[in-house]
Amino acid sequence: MSAEQVLFWVFAVATVVAAGGVILARNPIACAMSLVATFFFLAGIYVLLWAHTIAAVQVLVYAGAIMVLFLFVLMLMSLSDQGPVMTFSAWRIAGVVAVVTVLAALVLVFRRLPAQESLAWSGDAARLGDFGTIKHLGAVMYTQWLFPFEAVSLLLLVAIVGAVVVAKARV
Amino acid sequence: MNIPHLTFQDLLPVAPAGVLVVGAIVLLLSEVFLSTAQRTYQAVIGTLTALLAGAVAMNNAFEPARAALQGYVVLDPFSQWMTVLVCLGTALASLLSAGFLNHRNAERGEFYALILFSAAGMSLLAMSAEFITLFINLEVLSISTYALTAFLRRGPRPAEAGFKYFILGAFSASLLLYGAALLYGATGSTRFLDVGLALPQAFAQQPGLVYAGFGLVLAGFAFKVAAVPFHMWTPDVYEGAPTPVTALMSAGVKAAAVVALVRTFLFLVKGLSPEVPFIAFSALALLSMVGGNLLALPQRNVKRMLAYSSIAHAGYLLLGVAALFAPATAKGSDAVGLFTATPLLGSMPNVAASVYKGLLFYLLGYTVTALGAFGTIAALERREDETRSNTWDLERFAGLAQRKPGWAAAMAAFMLSLGGVPPTVGFLGKLYLFGAAVDAGLLGLAVAGVLASVAGVYVYLRVVVYMYMRPAPADAPAPFRHWTTEVALIASAVAVVALGVLPGPVTEWFSRAGMVFGS
């Protein structure tokens, strides 16, 4: 087992455990914190896949910005520790059946995917070269995708002005 | 790493948007360095910026069509003329806003800046030739109009309008994005040219994916154009937004979305049979023409009535779009047209060229007319003890002809133009557009459109009847006056009549060859 594989199992198990915590914890804050942990471990898997940029974005955007939003909402709702008690209703059973069906369908599709040589995991991420790194992304963004990049800067400016206009005192 | 080589020629197509953005930033800064409470000069800056951008775009409109900026945008007369129309609408809207906001003590530099930003978004949207660019520019346009809708948070339900527009707009944008992602999945490219080249093969392999992509992209556009059955948000949003903003939305946003729609689908269906988009556009056009006019009939609220009428006008525009994809047009058709055929030449030119002329001229007419009509409403709407039902009631117009004959005459001209009565620009626009549709073989749809617009005439004439034949109530309101409002209304009234009588060089400009890049 290479060091990469060891790391993969550490991250993978931790991701699943943390994801389980999101849906099993009673306290909503604990759920939110488990979600943060899930995002971090997932970012680790992205690094192993040589997708540095996505890993960084995952931590910055999801674990950072979006989780803060979640926590704000939870704070405003001021939920108690007493979560809803698990009951069995017709709807809930139908929901379970639906989830199991979707899962089965996904597994079936996954099993039937053709075995492509080029996609087989050799355990050597470095063969991908620059792909997925910040260097590659930067080069592509500032040369090949220059105009959309500049257009996004206009979009962000408009969004800031718009947010300030809407949030200001009544006019 | 290959550094892109950009020349001045590459920046030409985005120059009008650049002028608008610079003007918007100047307006934002003017708020920081403000030394006087008198802010009418901000509207003047906004108007002058829009006019300058329009002049730049008009200069571009005579350039030969080509792709620019690494193929993300195209420079062609169609998008540049659309930019000219948007700049015209923006200039009028910012003049109208000066009086409107001044009277409500709500003048702010940000308002005019957002108007200019949205105009820049419209201009960029019309020339986008790639899905990601298209989406970003659509969002620039949308976000500035969301903020403008919620700018004035008094009066009947502006917050509701802003929120509704935001939620539904975000939903429709995500539909468009989903469709673009599916098409990317099917073809492996986001550039319209490459997608169009790869589509025939993708269609042969996975027709379902291509249909789903087309459908979602079309639904996203239909929301923006406000075509039936994607029109539910329109009346509430148009009613709740500040009236000059409503005017800009009804003219500018629609124009930009129609141009982007035409460009997207022209590129995409190149290798495919245009039958499917043709059927979809025809259905949307028919539903919008009939639905918009019928829904406008029972409205006593003039602003809401004009909102429904703008749905009907979207239907007329979609009729033109459908004509572009009609079987006769697709064949490259030398078939003799019923209307545009000149007996001397024996055959008519390309159907597509007359459709572009019709679309642009119709948009020109609708821009000046809608700006004028909403501007008159803005000056007349109730500001004291307003409720949703009485602010824009027809009674506000009763007896206007005796009290203010000039205002009544201008409003009558706008109403007749919306109804398509000669000698106004609305009549000529409908003539060109329906004529082009008939040439493309859409006789049935054109007849349905004419019948629907006859129903619409009742709605518009009712306002004229109230102005000229009803006695003024005792507490008759005087229109609120401000020199900017009057300048804007006089300009649009003159344009409505003058372009209706003497379209002059405009029709020649609009019917030049090579209107759309790659068509």
Side-chain angles (χ1 to χ4, degrees), chain B residues 189-272:
Chain B
S189 176
T190 57
R191 283 167 204 257
F192 293 165
L193 266 179
D194 301 339
V195 175
L197 287 178
L199 261 182
Q201 201 200 346
F203 186 71
Q205 284 168 354
Q206 293 156 313
L209 199 58
V210 176
Y211 276 131
F214 272 174
L216 287 168
V217 170
L218 181 62
F221 275 124
F223 260 104
K224 284 290 163 210
V225 183
V228 178
F230 302 97
H231 67 288
M232 299 299 183
W233 56 274
T234 319
D236 291 337
V237 172
Y238 279 23
E239 192 186 359
T243 312
V245 174
T246 310
L248 185 65
M249 284 199 293
S250 72
V253 175
K254 206 158 281 182
V258 165
V259 173
L261 177 72
V262 166
R263 179 175 320 289
T264 312
F265 276 84
L266 270 185
F267 273 121
L268 294 194
V269 299
K270 254 194 175 150
L272 303 176

Side-chain angles (χ1 to χ4, degrees), chain A residues 139 142-149 151-152 154-155 157-159 161-171, chain B residues 1-2 4 14 21 28 69-70 72-73 106 110 117 130 132-133 136 139-140 143-144 147 151-154 190:
Chain A
Y142 286 100
T143 58
Q144 206 180 330
W145 293 84
L146 186 60
F147 179 67
F149 179 75
V152 166
L154 174 62
L155 174 60
L157 175 65
V158 172
V161 175
V164 170
V165 163
V166 173
K168 72 183 175 335
R170 270 167 77 103
V171 170
Chain B
M1 188 158 52
N2 46 345
V14 294
V21 170
L28 285 178
L69 281 176
Q70 300 170 295
Y72 289 106
V73 298
E110 294 89 356
F117 277 135
E130 193 257 356
I132 292 176
T133 316
I136 293 169
E139 284 300 287
V140 170
I143 286 181
S144 36
F151 181 81
L152 203 62
R153 282 195 298 289
R154 351 171 219 200
T190 57

Side-chain angles (χ1 to χ4, degrees), chain B residues 241-480:
Chain B
T243 312
V245 174
T246 310
L248 185 65
M249 284 199 293
S250 72
V253 175
K254 206 158 281 182
V258 165
V259 173
L261 177 72
V262 166
R263 179 175 320 289
T264 312
F265 276 84
L266 270 185
F267 273 121
L268 294 194
V269 299
K270 254 194 175 150
L272 303 176
S273 145
E275 201 162 312
V276 174
F278 169 62
I279 292 170
F281 288 133
S282 306
L284 283 179
L286 184 65
L287 285 173
S288 307
M289 289 188 297
V290 175
N293 279 316
L294 290 186
L295 286 169
L297 283 180
Q299 301 298 331
R300 279 192 61 83
N301 175 338
V302 181
K303 197 175 177 188
R304 213 173 161 81
M305 180 273 276
L306 281 187
Y308 282 113
S309 122
S310 90
I311 296 175
H313 286 275
Y316 304 137
L317 290 169
L318 284 169
L319 173 67
V321 178
L324 275 182
F325 294 91
T329 320
K331 270 188 297 178
S333 163
D334 295 323
V336 177
L338 234 58
F339 279 167
T340 48
T342 44
L344 286 176
L345 293 174
S347 73
M348 55 162 256
N350 200 344
V351 179
S354 67
V355 174
Y356 294 135
K357 178 178 111 180
L359 279 176
L360 282 174
F361 199 83
Y362 197 85
L363 281 171
L364 168 67
Y366 188 63
T367 304
V368 287
T369 313
L371 263 296
F374 279 113
T376 317
I377 293 176
L380 271 168
E381 68 186 51
R382 186 188 294 266
R383 289 170 294 272
E384 67 291 343
D385 65 301
E386 54 193 357
T387 65
R388 206 174 178 188
S389 58
N390 71 9
T391 310
W392 301 285
D393 194 83
L394 264 176
E395 285 297 333
R396 305 282 295 176
F397 289 87
L400 191 67
Q402 286 101 54
R403 290 177 289 128
K404 297 278 176 193
W407 287 75
M411 187 64 175
F414 300 139
M415 288 296 123
L416 293 180
S417 173
L418 282 176
V421 179
T424 56
V425 68
F427 166 73
L428 269 191
K430 277 204 176 65
L431 180 68
Y432 291 147
L433 199 58
F434 287 161
V438 170
D439 284 341
L442 306 183
L443 194 58
L445 265 185
V447 168
V450 171
L451 288 180
S453 65
V454 169
V457 169
Y458 163 76
V459 175
Y460 306 122
L461 281 185
R462 192 163 56 168
V463 178
V464 179
V465 166
Y466 264 79
M467 288 191 301
Y468 281 89
M469 299 177 190
R470 293 286 171 103
D475 61 335
F480 159 68

